[in-house]
Amino acid sequence: MAPRAKDRVDEKMAARAGMIRSKARLLAFGVAAVAALSLSVARAETALDDVRATPRGATAAFLEAAERGDSEAVAAALGVPATASASRKAQALELGRELALALSKSAAFDIDNVSDDPNGTARDGPNAERVATLRGDERELLVLLERSKRAPFVWTFSPGTQARIPELYARYRPSPLEARVPVRLKAELLGLPYWQWIGLVGALVLAILCGGVIAYALDRVARRVAVRTRVLWDDELVAGLRAPMRLLIRVIVYLLLAQALSLPGPLRLVSFHVAGTLGLIALTWATIRVVAVISNVVERQAVQNASAEESRGGLTARTQVRVLRRVVNVVLCGCAGAIGLLQFDVVRSVGVSLLASAGIAGVVLGLAAQRTLGSIFAGIQLSLSQPIRIGDDVVIEGEFGTIEEITLTYVVVRLWDERRLIVPMTRFLEQPFQNWTKVSPRLLGTVLIHADFSLPVDALRAEVDRLLAGNPRWDERTNVVQVTDAQERTLEVRVLVSAADGSRLFQLRCELREKLAIWLTRFEAGRYLPTHRVQSGSEPEPALRAST
């Protein structure tokens, strides 16, 4: 073979060898890349399987994947095989986002309540975990996780939950307002979009303004209607309900506006609980005002129906009505407080525990508050037995006064010098006291006169008759002059008179005492004033008189 032909053959062999080496290198690089990719995918799947090994981890990973739009992770959470088509995974991503939206807006979902145990919670059955119980349009819908029966043991959303996603989304879909919000307002501040912060402030301001306008308009209409009637109770009712109805209308307006904000579950729950508590306060407030109006009507009717001879009957009815009104107010406030606390899960669970140990709790409560409870029961007993009434004249703790106010725990006594004596309710049931007007306000009183033994009692009796004649404070029932005692040096003469009530009697006694003292001093130059006699020597001497 010629040298030139041999060189050409060598060149061809060298080129073919180079091509073979290049292909071998490319093949080795491809195999290595495929192996590395397979290894990374296996590691990623292993890491994802580790996260989904617990119900809480699976739920958290699903929510994060739905937020960032990871179709692979969302599809895995819904149990879609990794070999599924891209369109199937896209559909799974859409369903996952709808489910994540429903969970985020529901107040019933709390990821801390999802079990972190790989075996789940025993109460939900084997290989099952309840994530939340969401409220649909007509029924309650369960969101369940299922654990795979073969390795790797991971948690995915059950087929039943996936079938209920459209119904859940229809219940929690974005509101028309949320759909029209500009994208720049959807940025979050402290976990809440800007537009919802603005909406909360706007809803509060509009509720205050619009609620005030609506309440003012309704109040004007109600006042015009009440003025045209002859009765008084409707005017009192309109005036009493003005403030609580203003609060209630503002709460209703706020709830209607907040409903369109599509708030997330926890914030929505807190917002509605606060509004519900304020609404409950407004309703309780309004009920207390209605009870007050009814009690006022009953008091006025009782006073009008009482005859002149039984005018104290009006005071009896007023006392009973006022005490019973306070009892009703206490019961209303207690019930409202219990209802308000029962809307919180923590308090509700505590309440169930207390009911389970009601016997011990009742004993402890009775021992701790026995004085307070005793005062309340004493107030109820007093309203039934009526030992005192509003307006009664009493003597208690050595003081004379008039019953001014009766509560469930204490009584206010207005003393004669305008002081107020606060007396515990139990004092009137456990210790004696004087009630000058229990049966009738009419009273008897005495004026004591000390004079010389030679006093002509008939002259004194005639003077008493003269002083009482035409006196407006004397009720003409009793006029008695009696010698009640003969002491060592003087006679004691008692003048017994009567008056319509204690105040008139006191003034009558003071007047008689003053005028009888003047009469005794002036009658026959005061010769019948008390004297002190001294006798000296063996023969009797005229008595020496000296006024004292």
Side-chain angles (χ1 to χ4, degrees):
M1 180 178 297
R4 184 172 296 177
K6 184 177 180 181
D7 292 337
R8 287 198 295 270
V9 171
D10 292 338
E11 289 177 359
K12 291 180 179 181
M13 293 294 292
R16 185 175 297 176
M19 292 177 62
I20 293 174
R21 286 194 297 272
S22 298
K23 291 181 179 181
R25 284 196 295 270
L26 289 175
L27 180 61
F29 178 77
V31 171
V34 170
L37 181 60
S38 300
L39 181 60
S40 63
V41 171
R43 289 177 178 176
E45 291 180 352
T46 302
L48 183 60
D49 291 344
D50 292 340
V51 171
R52 294 186 297 155
T54 65
R56 186 184 300 176
T59 305
F62 163 74
L63 294 176
E64 293 176 0
E67 183 178 359
R68 67 173 182 269
D70 189 346
S71 59
E72 296 288 341
V74 172
L78 296 180
V80 178
T83 57
S85 61
S87 61
R88 175 68 189 284
K89 293 181 179 179
Q91 294 176 357
L93 177 60
E94 187 66 22
L95 284 176
R97 284 176 170 173
E98 294 178 356
L99 178 59
L101 177 65
L103 290 175
S104 64
K105 289 190 174 183
S106 173
F109 170 69
D110 186 357
I111 195 170
D112 292 334
N113 294 333
V114 182
S115 174
D116 201 27
D117 188 345
N119 296 321
T121 306
R123 63 188 173 101
D124 296 325
N127 300 324
E129 175 70 19
R130 183 189 308 175
V131 175
T133 302
L134 306 185
R135 183 174 298 278
D137 293 333
E138 298 180 355
R139 57 174 180 163
E140 291 185 343
L141 304 175
L142 297 180
V143 179
L144 296 176
L145 289 173
E146 290 185 349
R147 188 186 185 196
S148 58
K149 298 180 180 179
R150 292 180 296 179
F153 298 105
V154 296
W155 292 85
T156 59
F157 288 97
S158 66
T161 298
Q162 298 180 40
R164 290 188 287 269
I165 290 178
E167 186 175 355
L168 288 172
Y169 183 72
R171 175 70 171 80
Y172 295 96
R173 71 174 60 191
S175 63
L177 176 63
E178 184 179 1
R180 293 179 174 84
V181 172
V183 177
R184 62 178 178 274
L185 292 180
K186 293 185 177 180
E188 293 186 355
L189 174 64
L190 300 178
L192 191 68
Y194 288 122
W195 73 273
Q196 289 184 340
W197 283 114
I198 298 173
L200 279 175
V201 176
L204 183 60
V205 173
L206 287 176
I208 295 175
L209 296 179
C210 296
V213 172
I214 295 173
Y216 177 76
L218 293 177
D219 179 66
R220 289 292 299 272
V221 173
R223 278 191 294 175
R224 288 187 177 183
V225 174
V227 167
R228 296 179 180 179
T229 62
R230 296 182 178 180
V231 295
L232 184 61
W233 64 266
D234 54 354
D235 300 273
E236 295 179 350
L237 186 62
V238 171
L241 293 180
R242 183 177 297 120
M245 292 308 297
R246 186 183 298 118
L247 176 60
L248 181 61
I249 292 174
R250 285 172 174 170
V251 169
I252 294 175
V253 173
Y254 173 79
L255 290 175
L256 294 176
L257 295 175
Q259 188 68 28
L261 294 178
S262 300
L263 297 174
L267 183 58
R268 181 182 180 186
L269 182 63
V270 172
S271 177
F272 283 14
H273 276 177
V274 172
T277 302
L278 292 177
L280 183 62
I281 292 174
L283 290 175
T284 307
W285 191 2
T287 306
I288 291 175
R289 291 292 180 85
V290 172
V291 171
V293 172
I294 294 175
S295 65
N296 291 336
V297 172
V298 174
E299 285 185 28
R300 288 195 297 267
Q301 192 67 29
V303 172
Q304 292 174 1
N305 293 338
S307 61
E309 293 77 10
E310 298 177 354
S311 59
R312 306 296 295 182
L315 297 178
T316 301
R318 185 169 64 177
T319 302
Q320 292 177 337
V321 168
R322 290 190 178 183
V323 174
L324 292 178
R325 182 177 69 185
R326 288 187 174 92
V327 173
V328 172
N329 290 345
V330 170
V331 173
L332 286 175
C333 293
C335 293
I339 295 174
L341 292 176
L342 285 178
Q343 64 181 330
F344 300 99
D345 294 335
V346 175
V347 178
R348 190 183 301 115
S349 61
V350 172
V352 172
S353 302
L354 289 177
L355 289 177
S357 57
I360 299 177
V363 172
V364 174
L365 180 62
L367 293 176
Q370 56 181 342
R371 300 184 68 88
T372 302
L373 294 176
S375 299
I376 294 176
F377 288 129
I380 298 175
Q381 180 182 352
L382 184 141
S383 67
L384 299 177
S385 60
Q386 292 287 308
I388 56 174
R389 297 163 298 186
I390 295 175
D392 279 351
D393 295 331
V394 298
V395 177
I396 186 169
E397 301 292 340
E399 300 279 2
F400 171 80
T402 302
I403 302 297
E404 185 177 55
E405 183 182 0
I406 299 176
T407 69
L408 290 180
T409 55
Y410 63 88
V411 177
V412 179
V413 181
R414 185 181 72 252
L415 302 182
W416 64 273
D417 56 358
E418 299 299 329
R419 291 178 296 151
R420 265 61 177 180
L421 181 64
I422 310 300
V423 184
M425 179 66 69
T426 54
R427 170 69 172 78
F428 289 92
L429 298 177
E430 296 176 355
Q431 299 182 23
F433 64 96
Q434 297 182 35
N435 187 341
W436 290 8
T437 54
K438 170 61 178 173
V439 178
S440 172
R442 298 181 298 182
L443 293 173
L444 300 178
T446 61
V447 176
L448 297 180
I449 300 296
H450 294 271
D452 188 72
F453 277 86
S454 60
L455 172 70
V457 179
D458 290 337
L460 178 62
R461 187 174 290 113
E463 180 63 16
V464 171
D465 293 340
R466 187 186 68 82
L467 294 176
L468 290 179
N471 193 313
R473 299 185 177 91
W474 183 49
D475 63 357
E476 302 181 0
R477 290 187 302 114
T478 304
N479 175 14
V480 178
V481 178
Q482 297 172 321
V483 178
T484 56
D485 195 6
Q487 300 178 2
E488 181 181 356
R489 297 172 182 170
T490 61
L491 285 178
E492 182 184 82
V493 182
R494 185 184 71 174
V495 180
L496 182 64
V497 293
S498 61
D501 55 49
S503 177
R504 291 185 178 91
L505 179 64
F506 178 78
Q507 296 177 12
L508 178 61
R509 292 171 60 200
C510 293
E511 181 181 351
L512 286 178
R513 189 179 295 111
E514 175 186 353
K515 292 184 177 181
L516 288 177
I518 295 174
W519 175 84
L520 189 61
T521 302
R522 295 177 178 177
F523 183 65
E524 295 187 8
R527 63 179 298 183
Y528 301 111
L529 290 171
T531 60
H532 179 66
R533 294 177 173 82
V534 178
Q535 182 176 355
S536 63
S538 57
E539 296 181 359
E541 296 289 340
L544 300 178
R545 292 183 173 87
S547 300
T548 60

